[in-house]
Amino acid sequence: MHISGIHHVAIIASDYQRSKRFYTELLGLAIVAETYRAARDSYKLDLRTPDGVQIELFSFPAPPPRPSRPEACGLRHLAFRVPDVDAAAQELRDREIAVEAIRIDEFTGKRFTFFADPDGLPLELYEQ
């Protein structure tokens, strides 16, 4: 098998409109397509990062909450590459999004920090 990269990451939102605004207006991800699936009473929003990775944002009626943060089984966090972690973190703070202190990855020496989406999903800014 030859895996050539990540195609998409799927996220289920508790409040679809709030999460749609967060990922498109705050983080600036591009909308590829938005579909309402009546049989599931669910929206599916396809988003794209500048490097082509897709994020699927779903809504479902009454999804269960994430059991714990961040060490629950399953997706631990989603990391976004940024050229300047200080500038990106400050943009979030300017929009009243809580951002953790910037740390250094002990294995790569790269700088990173965490923040959360509206449902508490841990998101990382990783400087490259």
Side-chain angles (χ1 to χ4, degrees), residues 87-107:
Q90 190 57 53
E91 281 185 50
L92 293 172
R93 287 187 197 100
D94 290 347
R95 294 181 171 195
E96 300 180 0
I97 302 294
V99 179
E100 294 181 6
I102 293 172
R103 296 182 267 168
I104 305 294
D105 185 313
E106 63 184 277
F107 299 106

Side-chain angles (χ1 to χ4, degrees), residues 85-86 102-105 109-113 125-127:
V85 75
D86 290 301
I102 293 172
R103 296 182 267 168
I104 305 294
D105 185 313
K110 300 287 186 176
R111 302 169 72 236
F112 68 98
T113 188
L125 299 174
Y126 196 87
E127 192 170 82

Side-chain angles (χ1 to χ4, degrees), residues 67-88:
S68 66
R69 180 185 183 270
E71 304 304 338
C73 226
L75 179 66
R76 183 172 185 203
H77 64 265
L78 173 59
F80 296 105
R81 279 192 303 261
V82 295
D84 182 343
V85 75
D86 290 301

